[in-house]
Amino acid sequence: MIYSHDIPKGGKLYFGKSAKLKREIEAVSAEVFENNDFDEIVTPYFSYHQLEALTSKNLIKLNDTLNRDLTLRGDSSIDVIRLVSKRLKSNSKKWFYIQPVFRYPSIEINQIGAEILEGSLDEAIKLNKLLMDKLSLTPTIQISNIKIVELVKKLTNITDEELKKEKLESFSKIDWVKKLAYIHKKENLEDLSIYPDEIKTELLKIKEVIKNLEFDVVIAPLFYAEFNYYNGVFYRFFINNTLLSMGGEYTFQGLNAVGFSLYTDNIIENKI
């Protein structure tokens, strides 16, 4: 039986304090973006192109009037870059959005995000940290590199499933992979002689990013990000294992960009 007051599992309801917090978080974020010369964009709820960001199993599928496949917006980044570069043909390089995304079967995720064409990851992280400060949050930052995961799969017999579940017994069979699994601090990147050259190159990219950060970081070279478009170093801000934001570098249709998203609902829960 479905009662008249029921909402689908994964749907969001805001009232009283949570509604006020949501409005305040969005207002503070919009002000920070505008003060840093960002333009705002609100993209359609429907998209033909979400498979470039997420796997099919995560998307809510529909059809248009010509029976062509489309989905509810499951991720904002790729649509923002596509619309700005192909439809708007704008010269602006910095865009922000405040809007929900939707995942199968009925999950609503409110996000506040930014995309910077031809930007640097250092720029994105510093802006993301500024937002955390403005929202009175003191999260931990984790730095990873998706290319390291891809190279480990290429150079070893370790599978996607083992990486996702962090099965350390699989990693212990190969000395350099085992050492990768235990990298956590900046000091662990001092001696890279044990690693294959391809892995060493990607670890040096992490090292380059963290040298410019003026706060403590956790390094997780084997962390697995389930986004189709990240192609290099990426990061997460979290408090007590609650994800507050995530960002990284990517290339789409020949355009290099960096971006990040704040997870509004998780921030609200942290503050209540």
Side-chain angles (χ1 to χ4, degrees):
M1 177 183 293
I2 300 176
Y3 296 100
S4 60
H5 62 273
D6 285 346
I7 60 174
K9 183 178 181 180
K12 298 298 180 182
L13 172 65
Y14 305 93
F15 60 94
K17 186 176 181 179
S18 63
K20 182 181 180 182
L21 270 172
K22 182 174 183 291
R23 175 164 41 84
E24 289 174 350
I25 291 165
E26 292 172 348
V28 167
S29 299
E31 182 178 14
V32 168
F33 286 127
E34 289 166 358
N35 288 342
N36 283 272
D37 301 319
F38 279 74
D39 290 317
E40 185 171 7
I41 187 169
V42 180
T43 66
Y45 275 57
F46 304 101
S47 174
Y48 292 111
H49 307 287
Q50 289 293 297
L51 283 172
E52 291 165 340
L54 297 164
T55 58
S56 177
K57 67 180 181 180
N58 292 318
L59 297 171
I60 300 173
K61 302 176 182 70
L62 304 159
N63 296 95
D64 68 9
T65 56
L66 297 178
N67 204 34
R68 294 175 297 191
D69 293 338
L70 58 82
T71 70
L72 281 180
R73 180 179 61 223
D75 181 80
S76 294
S77 297
I78 296 301
D79 274 356
V80 168
I81 298 299
R82 176 186 294 101
L83 291 168
V84 166
S85 61
K86 302 298 182 181
R87 189 177 184 92
L88 303 183
K89 298 182 179 178
S90 170
N91 291 323
S92 179
K93 303 291 186 184
K94 301 162 76 173
W95 295 86
F96 80 94
Y97 55 84
I98 299 174
Q99 59 190 31
V101 297
F102 305 91
R103 306 278 172 79
Y104 181 85
S106 58
I107 302 171
E108 177 185 347
I109 305 168
N110 282 280
Q111 293 184 335
I112 301 165
E115 310 300 331
I116 310 172
L117 285 161
E118 301 173 7
S120 69
L121 191 64
D122 180 62
E123 180 182 9
I125 293 174
K126 287 181 177 177
L127 183 62
N128 199 158
K129 180 62 165 57
L130 174 61
L131 280 165
M132 296 289 105
D133 293 342
K134 293 287 186 180
L135 295 170
S136 300
L137 296 166
T138 54
T140 299
I141 184 173
Q142 173 188 297
I143 304 288
S144 304
N145 185 336
I146 195 64
K147 285 186 178 177
I148 292 176
V149 173
E150 293 169 353
L151 284 167
V152 167
K153 290 190 292 184
K154 176 183 174 184
L155 297 172
T156 72
N157 294 320
I158 296 174
T159 65
D160 269 344
E161 196 63 25
E162 289 169 327
L163 285 165
K164 288 177 186 177
K165 294 185 177 180
E166 298 182 351
K167 292 187 174 180
L168 294 181
E169 64 272 19
S170 301
F171 305 161
S172 64
K173 300 171 188 175
I174 306 170
D175 286 344
W176 64 265
V177 180
K178 180 180 178 180
K179 191 171 181 181
L180 265 183
Y182 287 97
I183 287 179
H184 298 298
K185 301 181 293 184
K186 187 183 300 185
E187 292 76 15
N188 300 142
L189 297 177
E190 292 303 317
D191 181 9
L192 302 180
S193 58
I194 192 174
Y195 302 107
D197 288 344
E198 303 100 312
I199 298 291
K200 190 184 301 182
T201 297
E202 300 306 324
L203 287 171
L204 286 171
K205 291 178 183 178
I206 292 178
K207 194 172 181 178
E208 182 68 20
V209 170
I210 64 176
K211 79 174 186 181
N212 296 317
L213 302 183
E214 298 176 353
F215 44 90
D216 291 335
V217 302
V218 173
I219 304 168
L222 295 177
F223 179 76
Y224 198 102
E226 292 189 356
F227 283 92
N228 293 344
Y229 52 87
Y230 285 153
N231 64 354
V233 180
F234 66 98
Y235 69 91
R236 304 189 306 154
F237 277 109
F238 58 92
I239 292 178
N240 296 328
N241 294 320
T242 298
L243 180 63
L244 301 185
S245 68
M246 185 172 184
E249 51 192 15
Y250 60 94
T251 301
F252 177 70
Q253 294 184 349
L255 298 171
N256 294 321
V258 296
F260 65 86
S261 292
L262 275 64
Y263 293 88
T264 313
D265 304 310
N266 291 351
I267 294 173
I268 291 171
E269 289 176 11
N270 183 268
K271 285 180 165 291
I272 286 180

